[in-house]
Short mmCIF file of all heavy atoms in Angstrom, two decimals:
data_model
loop_
_atom_site.label_atom_id
_atom_site.label_comp_id
_atom_site.label_asym_id
_atom_site.label_seq_id
_atom_site.Cartn_x
_atom_site.Cartn_y
_atom_site.Cartn_z
N THR A 1 -5.93 12.05 -14.97
CA THR A 1 -5.57 13.36 -15.15
C THR A 1 -5.00 13.61 -16.59
O THR A 1 -5.33 14.62 -17.19
CB THR A 1 -4.56 13.86 -14.14
OG1 THR A 1 -5.02 13.62 -12.83
CG2 THR A 1 -4.14 15.26 -14.32
N GLY A 2 -4.28 12.68 -17.07
CA GLY A 2 -3.74 12.77 -18.44
C GLY A 2 -4.81 12.82 -19.46
O GLY A 2 -4.74 13.52 -20.42
N ALA A 3 -5.91 12.00 -19.23
CA ALA A 3 -6.98 11.94 -20.19
C ALA A 3 -7.78 13.26 -20.21
O ALA A 3 -8.21 13.80 -21.25
CB ALA A 3 -7.92 10.83 -19.94
N ILE A 4 -7.92 13.83 -19.04
CA ILE A 4 -8.59 15.17 -18.96
C ILE A 4 -7.80 16.24 -19.62
O ILE A 4 -8.33 17.02 -20.37
CB ILE A 4 -8.87 15.52 -17.43
CG1 ILE A 4 -9.87 14.54 -16.79
CG2 ILE A 4 -9.39 17.00 -17.30
CD1 ILE A 4 -9.97 14.64 -15.29
N ARG A 5 -6.49 16.19 -19.37
CA ARG A 5 -5.64 17.21 -19.99
C ARG A 5 -5.69 17.05 -21.52
O ARG A 5 -5.77 18.07 -22.20
CB ARG A 5 -4.18 16.99 -19.49
CG ARG A 5 -3.22 17.88 -20.08
CD ARG A 5 -1.82 17.58 -19.51
NE ARG A 5 -0.80 18.37 -20.17
CZ ARG A 5 0.55 18.19 -19.93
NH1 ARG A 5 0.91 17.32 -19.04
NH2 ARG A 5 1.36 18.96 -20.51
N ALA A 6 -5.62 15.81 -22.03
CA ALA A 6 -5.67 15.62 -23.47
C ALA A 6 -6.99 16.06 -24.07
O ALA A 6 -7.09 16.61 -25.14
CB ALA A 6 -5.45 14.10 -23.78
N ALA A 7 -8.06 15.79 -23.35
CA ALA A 7 -9.41 16.23 -23.89
C ALA A 7 -9.54 17.73 -23.95
O ALA A 7 -10.05 18.25 -24.92
CB ALA A 7 -10.50 15.59 -22.93
N ILE A 8 -9.07 18.39 -22.95
CA ILE A 8 -9.10 19.86 -22.91
C ILE A 8 -8.25 20.39 -24.05
O ILE A 8 -8.70 21.20 -24.85
CB ILE A 8 -8.58 20.47 -21.56
CG1 ILE A 8 -9.53 19.99 -20.44
CG2 ILE A 8 -8.48 21.95 -21.66
CD1 ILE A 8 -8.93 20.27 -19.05
N ALA A 9 -7.03 19.88 -24.18
CA ALA A 9 -6.11 20.32 -25.23
C ALA A 9 -6.66 19.99 -26.63
O ALA A 9 -6.37 20.69 -27.60
CB ALA A 9 -4.72 19.73 -25.04
N GLY A 10 -7.42 18.90 -26.67
CA GLY A 10 -7.99 18.48 -28.00
C GLY A 10 -9.21 19.19 -28.37
O GLY A 10 -9.82 18.98 -29.42
N GLY A 11 -9.70 20.07 -27.53
CA GLY A 11 -10.86 20.87 -27.83
C GLY A 11 -12.19 20.20 -27.56
O GLY A 11 -13.25 20.71 -27.97
N VAL A 12 -12.20 19.14 -26.77
CA VAL A 12 -13.46 18.49 -26.44
C VAL A 12 -14.34 19.42 -25.63
O VAL A 12 -15.58 19.46 -25.81
CB VAL A 12 -13.20 17.16 -25.67
CG1 VAL A 12 -14.46 16.57 -25.13
CG2 VAL A 12 -12.41 16.20 -26.57
N GLY A 13 -13.77 20.21 -24.77
CA GLY A 13 -14.52 21.15 -24.01
C GLY A 13 -13.65 21.69 -22.87
O GLY A 13 -12.42 21.34 -22.71
N PRO A 14 -14.24 22.60 -22.12
CA PRO A 14 -13.39 23.20 -20.99
C PRO A 14 -13.22 22.17 -19.87
O PRO A 14 -14.01 21.18 -19.84
CB PRO A 14 -14.25 24.39 -20.52
CG PRO A 14 -15.68 24.01 -20.90
CD PRO A 14 -15.54 23.18 -22.16
N GLY A 15 -12.39 22.38 -18.97
CA GLY A 15 -12.14 21.50 -17.84
C GLY A 15 -11.51 22.16 -16.65
O GLY A 15 -11.13 23.39 -16.77
N VAL A 16 -11.50 21.50 -15.56
CA VAL A 16 -10.89 22.05 -14.34
C VAL A 16 -9.78 21.09 -14.00
O VAL A 16 -10.00 19.85 -13.79
CB VAL A 16 -11.92 22.17 -13.23
CG1 VAL A 16 -11.26 22.60 -11.92
CG2 VAL A 16 -13.06 23.07 -13.64
N ILE A 17 -8.56 21.65 -13.90
CA ILE A 17 -7.39 20.85 -13.61
C ILE A 17 -6.34 21.71 -12.88
O ILE A 17 -6.32 22.90 -13.13
CB ILE A 17 -6.83 20.19 -14.92
CG1 ILE A 17 -5.81 19.10 -14.63
CG2 ILE A 17 -6.32 21.25 -15.85
CD1 ILE A 17 -5.49 18.29 -15.85
N SER A 18 -5.52 21.09 -12.08
CA SER A 18 -4.51 21.88 -11.38
C SER A 18 -3.64 22.57 -12.39
O SER A 18 -3.10 21.94 -13.39
CB SER A 18 -3.69 20.93 -10.51
OG SER A 18 -2.55 21.61 -10.01
N SER A 19 -3.33 23.87 -12.11
CA SER A 19 -2.40 24.62 -13.01
C SER A 19 -0.98 24.01 -12.98
O SER A 19 -0.27 24.11 -13.94
CB SER A 19 -2.39 26.07 -12.59
OG SER A 19 -1.95 26.26 -11.26
N LEU A 20 -0.69 23.32 -11.90
CA LEU A 20 0.64 22.69 -11.79
C LEU A 20 0.85 21.56 -12.86
O LEU A 20 1.92 21.38 -13.39
CB LEU A 20 0.90 22.15 -10.42
CG LEU A 20 0.99 23.14 -9.23
CD1 LEU A 20 1.07 22.41 -7.92
CD2 LEU A 20 2.17 23.99 -9.47
N LEU A 21 -0.31 20.96 -13.13
CA LEU A 21 -0.22 19.82 -14.11
C LEU A 21 -0.20 20.31 -15.61
O LEU A 21 0.15 19.52 -16.48
CB LEU A 21 -1.42 18.94 -13.91
CG LEU A 21 -1.50 18.26 -12.55
CD1 LEU A 21 -2.80 17.50 -12.37
CD2 LEU A 21 -0.34 17.39 -12.31
N VAL A 22 -0.53 21.57 -15.83
CA VAL A 22 -0.56 22.05 -17.21
C VAL A 22 0.28 23.25 -17.42
O VAL A 22 0.14 24.06 -18.39
CB VAL A 22 -2.05 22.31 -17.66
CG1 VAL A 22 -2.84 21.07 -17.75
CG2 VAL A 22 -2.74 23.33 -16.73
N GLU A 23 1.25 23.50 -16.51
CA GLU A 23 2.03 24.75 -16.62
C GLU A 23 2.77 24.80 -17.91
O GLU A 23 2.89 25.97 -18.49
CB GLU A 23 2.93 24.92 -15.42
CG GLU A 23 3.94 23.83 -15.20
CD GLU A 23 4.72 23.97 -13.87
OE1 GLU A 23 4.52 24.99 -13.15
OE2 GLU A 23 5.46 23.07 -13.52
N ASP A 24 3.26 23.76 -18.42
CA ASP A 24 3.92 23.78 -19.75
C ASP A 24 3.01 24.19 -20.86
O ASP A 24 3.35 24.96 -21.72
CB ASP A 24 4.58 22.40 -20.08
CG ASP A 24 5.77 22.11 -19.19
OD1 ASP A 24 6.32 22.99 -18.53
OD2 ASP A 24 6.09 20.84 -19.08
N ASP A 25 1.76 23.66 -20.83
CA ASP A 25 0.81 23.98 -21.83
C ASP A 25 0.36 25.47 -21.70
O ASP A 25 0.15 26.14 -22.74
CB ASP A 25 -0.44 23.10 -21.67
CG ASP A 25 -0.18 21.61 -22.02
OD1 ASP A 25 0.39 21.38 -23.09
OD2 ASP A 25 -0.48 20.80 -21.15
N LEU A 26 0.28 25.97 -20.54
CA LEU A 26 -0.10 27.35 -20.33
C LEU A 26 1.05 28.27 -20.85
O LEU A 26 0.74 29.24 -21.55
CB LEU A 26 -0.34 27.65 -18.79
CG LEU A 26 -1.56 27.01 -18.22
CD1 LEU A 26 -1.54 27.11 -16.69
CD2 LEU A 26 -2.83 27.56 -18.79
N ARG A 27 2.25 27.96 -20.47
CA ARG A 27 3.43 28.74 -20.99
C ARG A 27 3.50 28.73 -22.49
O ARG A 27 3.83 29.75 -23.17
CB ARG A 27 4.74 28.22 -20.45
CG ARG A 27 5.10 28.91 -19.11
CD ARG A 27 6.59 28.65 -18.76
NE ARG A 27 6.92 27.26 -18.60
CZ ARG A 27 6.75 26.58 -17.46
NH1 ARG A 27 6.32 27.17 -16.34
NH2 ARG A 27 7.09 25.28 -17.35
N ALA A 28 3.23 27.60 -23.14
CA ALA A 28 3.35 27.45 -24.60
C ALA A 28 2.14 27.99 -25.30
O ALA A 28 2.14 28.12 -26.56
CB ALA A 28 3.51 25.98 -24.97
N GLY A 29 1.06 28.36 -24.58
CA GLY A 29 -0.12 28.93 -25.19
C GLY A 29 -1.06 27.88 -25.72
O GLY A 29 -2.07 28.21 -26.43
N ARG A 30 -0.82 26.59 -25.48
CA ARG A 30 -1.70 25.51 -25.94
C ARG A 30 -2.98 25.54 -25.15
O ARG A 30 -4.05 25.13 -25.66
CB ARG A 30 -1.08 24.17 -25.81
CG ARG A 30 0.11 23.97 -26.77
CD ARG A 30 0.64 22.56 -26.72
NE ARG A 30 1.31 22.29 -25.44
CZ ARG A 30 2.61 22.47 -25.17
NH1 ARG A 30 3.37 22.89 -26.20
NH2 ARG A 30 3.17 22.17 -24.04
N LEU A 31 -2.98 25.96 -23.89
CA LEU A 31 -4.09 26.12 -23.02
C LEU A 31 -4.11 27.53 -22.43
O LEU A 31 -3.06 28.12 -22.32
CB LEU A 31 -4.10 25.08 -21.90
CG LEU A 31 -4.16 23.61 -22.25
CD1 LEU A 31 -4.05 22.72 -21.04
CD2 LEU A 31 -5.49 23.31 -22.98
N VAL A 32 -5.28 28.03 -22.00
CA VAL A 32 -5.38 29.27 -21.44
C VAL A 32 -6.18 29.12 -20.07
O VAL A 32 -7.05 28.29 -19.97
CB VAL A 32 -6.02 30.36 -22.26
CG1 VAL A 32 -5.19 30.66 -23.46
CG2 VAL A 32 -7.41 29.96 -22.72
N THR A 33 -5.88 30.01 -19.18
CA THR A 33 -6.67 30.06 -17.92
C THR A 33 -7.82 30.92 -18.09
O THR A 33 -7.73 32.03 -18.66
CB THR A 33 -5.73 30.64 -16.76
OG1 THR A 33 -4.61 29.76 -16.66
CG2 THR A 33 -6.53 30.68 -15.50
N VAL A 34 -8.96 30.46 -17.62
CA VAL A 34 -10.20 31.18 -17.76
C VAL A 34 -10.69 31.52 -16.31
O VAL A 34 -10.84 30.62 -15.52
CB VAL A 34 -11.36 30.45 -18.45
CG1 VAL A 34 -12.59 31.29 -18.52
CG2 VAL A 34 -10.85 30.12 -19.89
N PRO A 35 -10.81 32.83 -15.91
CA PRO A 35 -11.21 33.11 -14.55
C PRO A 35 -12.63 32.53 -14.27
O PRO A 35 -13.49 32.55 -15.15
CB PRO A 35 -11.27 34.66 -14.49
CG PRO A 35 -10.52 35.08 -15.65
CD PRO A 35 -10.58 34.01 -16.74
N ALA A 36 -12.81 31.91 -13.09
CA ALA A 36 -14.08 31.44 -12.70
C ALA A 36 -14.39 31.89 -11.34
O ALA A 36 -13.55 31.94 -10.42
CB ALA A 36 -14.00 29.88 -12.69
N ALA A 37 -15.63 32.30 -11.13
CA ALA A 37 -16.05 32.91 -9.81
C ALA A 37 -16.57 31.75 -8.92
O ALA A 37 -17.71 31.81 -8.37
CB ALA A 37 -17.11 33.92 -10.01
N VAL A 38 -15.80 30.71 -8.85
CA VAL A 38 -16.15 29.53 -8.04
C VAL A 38 -15.00 29.16 -7.12
O VAL A 38 -13.84 29.09 -7.60
CB VAL A 38 -16.51 28.35 -8.97
CG1 VAL A 38 -16.86 27.11 -8.14
CG2 VAL A 38 -17.67 28.70 -9.87
N ASP A 39 -15.21 28.91 -5.90
CA ASP A 39 -14.20 28.48 -4.99
C ASP A 39 -14.03 26.95 -5.09
O ASP A 39 -14.87 26.24 -4.71
CB ASP A 39 -14.52 28.84 -3.53
CG ASP A 39 -13.45 28.47 -2.54
OD1 ASP A 39 -12.34 27.96 -3.01
OD2 ASP A 39 -13.60 28.69 -1.32
N LEU A 40 -12.98 26.53 -5.70
CA LEU A 40 -12.67 25.10 -5.96
C LEU A 40 -11.74 24.46 -4.94
O LEU A 40 -11.33 23.35 -5.15
CB LEU A 40 -12.25 24.90 -7.39
CG LEU A 40 -13.15 25.35 -8.48
CD1 LEU A 40 -12.49 25.27 -9.83
CD2 LEU A 40 -14.46 24.50 -8.46
N ARG A 41 -11.45 25.13 -3.87
CA ARG A 41 -10.59 24.58 -2.85
C ARG A 41 -11.34 23.43 -2.17
O ARG A 41 -12.58 23.42 -2.06
CB ARG A 41 -10.18 25.56 -1.82
CG ARG A 41 -9.28 26.67 -2.36
CD ARG A 41 -8.93 27.67 -1.35
NE ARG A 41 -10.20 28.39 -1.03
CZ ARG A 41 -10.26 29.37 -0.19
NH1 ARG A 41 -9.24 29.74 0.52
NH2 ARG A 41 -11.41 30.00 0.03
N ARG A 42 -10.56 22.43 -1.75
CA ARG A 42 -11.15 21.27 -1.10
C ARG A 42 -10.14 20.68 -0.12
O ARG A 42 -8.92 20.87 -0.27
CB ARG A 42 -11.59 20.25 -2.09
CG ARG A 42 -10.42 19.64 -2.87
CD ARG A 42 -10.91 18.78 -3.99
NE ARG A 42 -9.80 18.17 -4.67
CZ ARG A 42 -9.08 18.66 -5.67
NH1 ARG A 42 -9.33 19.88 -6.06
NH2 ARG A 42 -8.16 18.03 -6.22
N PRO A 43 -10.57 19.95 0.86
CA PRO A 43 -9.63 19.36 1.81
C PRO A 43 -9.01 18.15 1.20
O PRO A 43 -9.63 17.41 0.31
CB PRO A 43 -10.52 18.93 2.99
CG PRO A 43 -11.87 18.81 2.43
CD PRO A 43 -11.97 19.79 1.27
N PHE A 44 -7.80 17.85 1.59
CA PHE A 44 -7.11 16.64 1.16
C PHE A 44 -6.90 15.74 2.33
O PHE A 44 -6.90 16.20 3.48
CB PHE A 44 -5.75 16.99 0.57
CG PHE A 44 -5.80 17.59 -0.79
CD1 PHE A 44 -5.86 19.00 -0.93
CD2 PHE A 44 -5.84 16.81 -1.91
CE1 PHE A 44 -5.92 19.55 -2.18
CE2 PHE A 44 -5.89 17.43 -3.17
CZ PHE A 44 -5.98 18.77 -3.28
N ARG A 45 -6.82 14.41 2.10
CA ARG A 45 -6.61 13.51 3.15
C ARG A 45 -5.31 12.73 2.93
O ARG A 45 -4.97 12.45 1.79
CB ARG A 45 -7.72 12.45 3.14
CG ARG A 45 -9.14 13.05 3.19
CD ARG A 45 -9.87 12.66 4.43
NE ARG A 45 -11.24 13.08 4.41
CZ ARG A 45 -11.59 14.31 4.87
NH1 ARG A 45 -10.70 15.12 5.29
NH2 ARG A 45 -12.90 14.66 4.84
N ALA A 46 -4.60 12.41 3.98
CA ALA A 46 -3.45 11.58 3.95
C ALA A 46 -3.89 10.17 4.39
O ALA A 46 -4.50 10.01 5.46
CB ALA A 46 -2.30 12.07 4.87
N VAL A 47 -3.66 9.14 3.59
CA VAL A 47 -4.06 7.83 3.93
C VAL A 47 -2.91 6.79 3.83
O VAL A 47 -2.11 6.91 2.95
CB VAL A 47 -5.26 7.35 3.03
CG1 VAL A 47 -6.49 8.26 3.34
CG2 VAL A 47 -4.91 7.42 1.59
N TRP A 48 -2.92 5.82 4.66
CA TRP A 48 -2.01 4.74 4.68
C TRP A 48 -2.74 3.43 4.85
O TRP A 48 -3.84 3.38 5.48
CB TRP A 48 -0.97 4.92 5.76
CG TRP A 48 0.17 5.83 5.40
CD1 TRP A 48 1.34 5.59 4.92
CD2 TRP A 48 0.07 7.29 5.56
NE1 TRP A 48 2.07 6.74 4.74
CE2 TRP A 48 1.27 7.83 5.14
CE3 TRP A 48 -0.87 8.21 5.97
CZ2 TRP A 48 1.62 9.17 5.12
CZ3 TRP A 48 -0.59 9.58 5.95
CH2 TRP A 48 0.63 9.99 5.52
N SER A 49 -2.15 2.35 4.45
CA SER A 49 -2.82 1.02 4.58
C SER A 49 -2.85 0.56 6.07
O SER A 49 -3.83 0.04 6.52
CB SER A 49 -2.16 -0.06 3.69
OG SER A 49 -0.81 -0.17 3.99
N ALA A 50 -1.81 0.75 6.71
CA ALA A 50 -1.79 0.33 8.19
C ALA A 50 -0.58 1.02 8.85
O ALA A 50 0.51 1.06 8.29
CB ALA A 50 -1.70 -1.14 8.35
N GLY A 51 -0.78 1.57 10.03
CA GLY A 51 0.30 2.15 10.79
C GLY A 51 0.94 3.35 10.05
O GLY A 51 0.77 3.48 8.88
N LEU A 52 1.61 4.12 10.82
CA LEU A 52 2.36 5.30 10.24
C LEU A 52 3.82 5.13 10.49
O LEU A 52 4.31 4.99 11.53
CB LEU A 52 1.84 6.59 10.95
CG LEU A 52 0.41 7.00 10.68
CD1 LEU A 52 0.10 8.30 11.43
CD2 LEU A 52 0.23 7.28 9.23
N SER A 53 4.48 5.22 9.38
CA SER A 53 6.02 5.18 9.45
C SER A 53 6.42 6.51 10.07
O SER A 53 5.70 7.50 10.12
CB SER A 53 6.57 5.04 8.00
OG SER A 53 6.34 6.13 7.28
N ALA A 54 7.73 6.53 10.38
CA ALA A 54 8.32 7.84 10.90
C ALA A 54 8.17 8.94 9.87
O ALA A 54 7.85 10.13 10.22
CB ALA A 54 9.72 7.57 11.31
N GLY A 55 8.43 8.58 8.67
CA GLY A 55 8.27 9.65 7.57
C GLY A 55 6.86 10.13 7.37
O GLY A 55 6.63 11.26 7.18
N ALA A 56 5.90 9.27 7.50
CA ALA A 56 4.48 9.68 7.40
C ALA A 56 4.09 10.53 8.63
O ALA A 56 3.42 11.52 8.44
CB ALA A 56 3.55 8.40 7.42
N GLN A 57 4.64 10.26 9.74
CA GLN A 57 4.37 11.02 10.96
C GLN A 57 4.95 12.41 10.77
O GLN A 57 4.32 13.44 11.13
CB GLN A 57 4.89 10.35 12.18
CG GLN A 57 4.10 9.16 12.58
CD GLN A 57 4.74 8.39 13.78
OE1 GLN A 57 5.62 8.83 14.44
NE2 GLN A 57 4.22 7.15 13.97
N ASP A 58 6.14 12.48 10.24
CA ASP A 58 6.82 13.77 9.94
C ASP A 58 6.00 14.59 8.97
O ASP A 58 5.83 15.81 9.15
CB ASP A 58 8.23 13.58 9.42
CG ASP A 58 9.16 13.05 10.43
OD1 ASP A 58 8.86 13.11 11.68
OD2 ASP A 58 10.28 12.55 10.04
N LEU A 59 5.49 13.92 7.90
CA LEU A 59 4.67 14.65 6.91
C LEU A 59 3.48 15.22 7.55
O LEU A 59 3.10 16.39 7.30
CB LEU A 59 4.35 13.70 5.75
CG LEU A 59 3.37 14.21 4.73
CD1 LEU A 59 3.90 15.48 4.00
CD2 LEU A 59 2.89 13.17 3.78
N LEU A 60 2.74 14.49 8.33
CA LEU A 60 1.53 14.96 8.99
C LEU A 60 1.83 16.09 9.98
O LEU A 60 1.08 17.04 10.07
CB LEU A 60 0.83 13.77 9.71
CG LEU A 60 0.21 12.75 8.75
CD1 LEU A 60 -0.38 11.59 9.60
CD2 LEU A 60 -0.81 13.35 7.82
N ALA A 61 2.94 16.02 10.64
CA ALA A 61 3.33 17.13 11.49
C ALA A 61 3.59 18.44 10.74
O ALA A 61 3.18 19.52 11.19
CB ALA A 61 4.59 16.73 12.29
N VAL A 62 4.24 18.30 9.62
CA VAL A 62 4.45 19.54 8.80
C VAL A 62 3.24 20.09 8.28
O VAL A 62 3.01 21.30 8.32
CB VAL A 62 5.44 19.09 7.59
CG1 VAL A 62 5.45 20.27 6.55
CG2 VAL A 62 6.82 18.83 8.07
N ILE A 63 2.31 19.22 7.82
CA ILE A 63 1.04 19.68 7.31
C ILE A 63 0.22 20.39 8.45
O ILE A 63 -0.30 21.50 8.28
CB ILE A 63 0.20 18.52 6.74
CG1 ILE A 63 0.81 18.07 5.45
CG2 ILE A 63 -1.29 18.96 6.52
CD1 ILE A 63 0.28 16.72 4.98
N ALA A 64 0.15 19.79 9.63
CA ALA A 64 -0.53 20.39 10.78
C ALA A 64 0.06 21.70 11.15
O ALA A 64 -0.67 22.62 11.38
CB ALA A 64 -0.54 19.34 11.94
N ALA A 65 1.35 21.76 11.16
CA ALA A 65 2.02 23.05 11.51
C ALA A 65 1.73 24.12 10.50
O ALA A 65 1.50 25.29 10.87
CB ALA A 65 3.56 22.80 11.64
N SER A 66 1.72 23.75 9.28
CA SER A 66 1.42 24.79 8.20
C SER A 66 0.00 25.28 8.25
O SER A 66 -0.29 26.43 7.89
CB SER A 66 1.73 24.27 6.84
OG SER A 66 0.80 23.27 6.40
N GLN A 67 -0.94 24.46 8.67
CA GLN A 67 -2.36 24.92 8.77
C GLN A 67 -2.53 25.83 9.88
O GLN A 67 -3.55 26.61 9.89
CB GLN A 67 -3.23 23.70 8.85
CG GLN A 67 -3.28 22.85 7.53
CD GLN A 67 -4.22 21.74 7.57
OE1 GLN A 67 -4.67 21.34 8.64
NE2 GLN A 67 -4.52 21.18 6.39
N HIS A 68 -1.71 25.78 10.92
CA HIS A 68 -1.91 26.68 12.10
C HIS A 68 -0.90 27.81 12.07
O HIS A 68 -0.94 28.63 12.99
CB HIS A 68 -1.70 25.81 13.39
CG HIS A 68 -2.66 24.66 13.52
ND1 HIS A 68 -3.97 24.82 13.26
CD2 HIS A 68 -2.46 23.42 13.84
CE1 HIS A 68 -4.61 23.71 13.44
NE2 HIS A 68 -3.68 22.76 13.78
N SER A 69 -0.15 27.97 11.02
CA SER A 69 0.84 29.04 10.91
C SER A 69 0.12 30.31 10.54
O SER A 69 -0.84 30.34 9.73
CB SER A 69 1.82 28.69 9.87
OG SER A 69 2.58 29.81 9.47
N PRO A 70 0.51 31.44 11.21
CA PRO A 70 -0.09 32.72 10.86
C PRO A 70 0.15 33.09 9.37
O PRO A 70 -0.61 33.89 8.82
CB PRO A 70 0.50 33.72 11.78
CG PRO A 70 1.52 32.98 12.61
CD PRO A 70 1.49 31.53 12.24
N ASP A 71 1.19 32.55 8.79
CA ASP A 71 1.58 32.88 7.39
C ASP A 71 0.73 32.06 6.38
O ASP A 71 0.71 32.35 5.23
CB ASP A 71 3.02 32.65 7.10
CG ASP A 71 3.88 33.61 7.91
OD1 ASP A 71 3.34 34.73 8.27
OD2 ASP A 71 5.01 33.30 8.20
N SER A 72 0.06 30.99 6.84
CA SER A 72 -0.66 30.15 5.90
C SER A 72 -1.98 30.72 5.53
O SER A 72 -2.65 31.38 6.31
CB SER A 72 -0.83 28.73 6.47
OG SER A 72 -1.71 28.77 7.57
N SER A 73 -2.41 30.51 4.27
CA SER A 73 -3.73 30.99 3.88
C SER A 73 -4.79 29.92 4.22
O SER A 73 -4.51 28.82 4.39
CB SER A 73 -3.69 31.18 2.30
OG SER A 73 -3.38 29.95 1.71
N PRO A 74 -6.00 30.37 4.33
CA PRO A 74 -7.11 29.44 4.69
C PRO A 74 -7.19 28.34 3.62
O PRO A 74 -7.05 28.58 2.42
CB PRO A 74 -8.30 30.32 4.72
CG PRO A 74 -7.95 31.71 4.39
CD PRO A 74 -6.50 31.71 4.08
N ARG A 75 -7.52 27.16 4.07
CA ARG A 75 -7.60 26.01 3.14
C ARG A 75 -9.04 25.53 3.10
O ARG A 75 -9.77 25.61 3.90
CB ARG A 75 -6.71 24.89 3.65
CG ARG A 75 -5.29 25.37 3.80
CD ARG A 75 -4.36 24.32 3.26
NE ARG A 75 -3.00 24.61 3.52
CZ ARG A 75 -2.23 25.55 3.02
NH1 ARG A 75 -2.74 26.44 2.28
NH2 ARG A 75 -0.95 25.67 3.28
#
């Protein structure tokens, strides 16, 4: 991600990167957001090497609850 960010900031070309990762650059005007008529949402996966700790189970429960919440946006 750091290399992509540096390439975009260095003028190599446009790129797609999470706005959370470049919020300082956006605020400082080093990068600008360009509207794109493309839906770039994608599913994420939670993975562990073996077994689920209590903390991992809690995290998955929170994610599952947020996806079924009436207040959550479609993912």
Side-chain angles (χ1 to χ4, degrees):
T1 304
I4 294 169
R5 179 182 176 183
I8 297 167
V12 173
V16 177
I17 193 167
S18 169
S19 60
L20 295 174
L21 299 174
V22 293
E23 61 188 352
D24 290 342
D25 294 307
L26 293 169
R27 268 196 300 273
R30 292 185 293 268
L31 296 177
V32 296
T33 300
V34 178
V38 179
D39 184 0
L40 298 174
R41 291 178 293 180
R42 63 189 185 276
F44 287 91
R45 307 241 186 274
V47 296
W48 280 263
S49 58
L52 292 177
S53 66
Q57 291 175 10
D58 291 345
L59 173 62
L60 292 177
V62 168
I63 292 168
S66 72
Q67 290 182 346
H68 300 315
S69 167
D71 295 333
S72 67
S73 61
R75 304 223 188 293

